[in-house]
């Protein structure tokens, strides 16, 4: 299972990478727009920090524009994966990009049907939006499970990358489902760490040790 960080904040990425658990970073125009830098600058900065793929999303809404942007993104860093929306134009652009060997997949994905089309188009990944599916009254985690089952059944190599993760409850449900990958915000990643039992245990060890000093002292 791969764990990606969903952000354009290089400081947050640097902190997360220090944990040793992050496999790459996913970005989108909204995340980058929240910074003061250009998309290219954000990706260049991330490339200096991240040892793994950087997911970059197209902004064009026509086939030619998507293909042009996708090829342009390949010049920004060595490990670029392009995000293409699950639209008619997007599927056509995806097919053209995959024919030329560009790593690209489908994002803003909301249905099993879209996921099947993406896999048939040799998508590198699909990114179903778990939280937004829930917002729309659907079962986000359930949709991801169905996609994963179909992919496993047919042997599709497309990675199921669950996105729009709102909390650790959703994340754990996806882990249990055996999903290929999950991307989450720095805040949801941070919520994986603390637990009252851990705090209590550490405090107990410190209290029992008292003023004995460093354990390295002979």
């Amino acid at each position: 299972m791969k764990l990606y960080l969903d952000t354009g904040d290089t400081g947050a990425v640097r902190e997360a990478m220090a944990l040793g658990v992050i496999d790459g970073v996913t970005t989108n125009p909204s995340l980058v727009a929240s910074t003061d830098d250009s998309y290219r600058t954000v990706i260049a900065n991330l490339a200096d920090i991240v040892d793994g793929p950087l997911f970059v999303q197209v902004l064009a809404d026509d086939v030619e524009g998507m293909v042009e942007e996708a090829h342009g993104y390949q010049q920004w860093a060595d490990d670029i994966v392009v995000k293409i929306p699950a639209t008619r134009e997007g599927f056509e652009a995806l097919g053209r990009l995959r024919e030329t060997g560009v790593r690209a997949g489908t994002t803003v994905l909301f249905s099993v049907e879209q996921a099947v089309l993406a896999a048939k188009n040799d998508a590198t990944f699909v990114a179903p939006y778990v939280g937004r599916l829930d917002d729309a009254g659907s079962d986000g985690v359930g949709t991801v499970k169905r996609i994963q089952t179909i992919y496993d059944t047919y042997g599709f190599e497309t990675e199921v990358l669950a996105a729009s993760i709102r909390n650790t409850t959703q994340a754990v449900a996806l882990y249990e489902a055996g999903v290929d990958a999950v991307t989450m915000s720095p805040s949801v990643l941070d919520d994986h760490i603390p637990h009252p039992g851990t705090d209590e245990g550490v405090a107990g060890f410190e209290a029992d040790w008292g003023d004995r000093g460093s354990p390295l002292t002979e």
Side-chain angles (χ1 to χ4, degrees):
M1 188 272 292
K2 295 177 183 176
L3 187 60
Y4 299 118
L5 201 66
D6 194 35
T7 185
D9 184 339
T10 54
V13 172
R14 195 180 302 277
E15 291 181 6
M17 291 299 294
L19 296 174
V21 300
I22 298 301
D23 295 294
V25 175
T26 61
T27 69
N28 62 49
S30 296
L31 292 172
V32 174
S34 68
T35 73
D36 294 326
D37 295 316
S38 69
Y39 212 150
R40 183 166 190 163
T41 297
V42 168
I43 296 302
N45 290 338
L46 290 175
D48 290 335
I49 304 169
V50 179
D51 182 17
L54 300 173
F55 293 74
V56 185
Q57 186 166 330
V58 298
L59 274 165
D61 58 8
D62 64 291
V63 177
E64 295 299 331
M66 292 180 191
V67 171
E68 180 181 3
E69 288 180 4
H71 282 290
Y73 292 158
Q74 303 305 302
Q75 311 306 313
W76 290 4
D78 292 333
D79 203 354
I80 294 293
V81 183
V82 182
K83 300 169 66 175
I84 308 290
T87 60
R88 177 175 290 275
E89 294 81 6
F91 286 121
E92 183 177 340
L94 173 63
R96 288 173 55 176
L97 290 167
R98 297 301 291 131
E99 285 176 357
T100 60
V102 173
R103 288 187 299 163
T106 305
T107 190
V108 200
L109 187 139
F110 284 83
S111 74
V112 173
E113 297 91 331
Q114 291 174 323
V116 169
L117 294 182
K120 286 288 291 180
N121 224 349
D122 191 31
T124 303
F125 71 94
V126 292
Y129 276 20
V130 176
R132 293 195 191 182
L133 277 163
D134 285 351
D135 292 344
S138 299
D139 180 0
V141 171
T143 299
V144 174
K145 288 180 179 179
R146 293 173 68 194
I147 294 170
Q148 187 71 65
T149 297
I150 291 169
Y151 280 17
D152 292 343
T153 297
Y154 286 99
F156 288 132
E157 296 183 1
T158 300
E159 179 179 79
V160 181
L161 198 178
S164 183
I165 308 302
R166 300 284 173 75
N167 50 60
T168 56
T169 299
Q170 290 177 339
V172 169
L174 293 163
Y175 302 151
E176 291 177 336
V179 69
D180 294 326
V182 175
T183 186
M184 62 186 64
S185 67
S187 62
V188 174
L189 176 66
D190 288 344
D191 286 343
H192 279 58
I193 299 173
H195 191 282
T198 302
D199 295 340
E200 182 180 350
V202 170
F205 294 141
E206 293 176 347
D208 291 342
W209 188 256
D211 60 358
R212 294 166 61 91
S214 171
L216 297 178
T217 302
E218 297 183 2

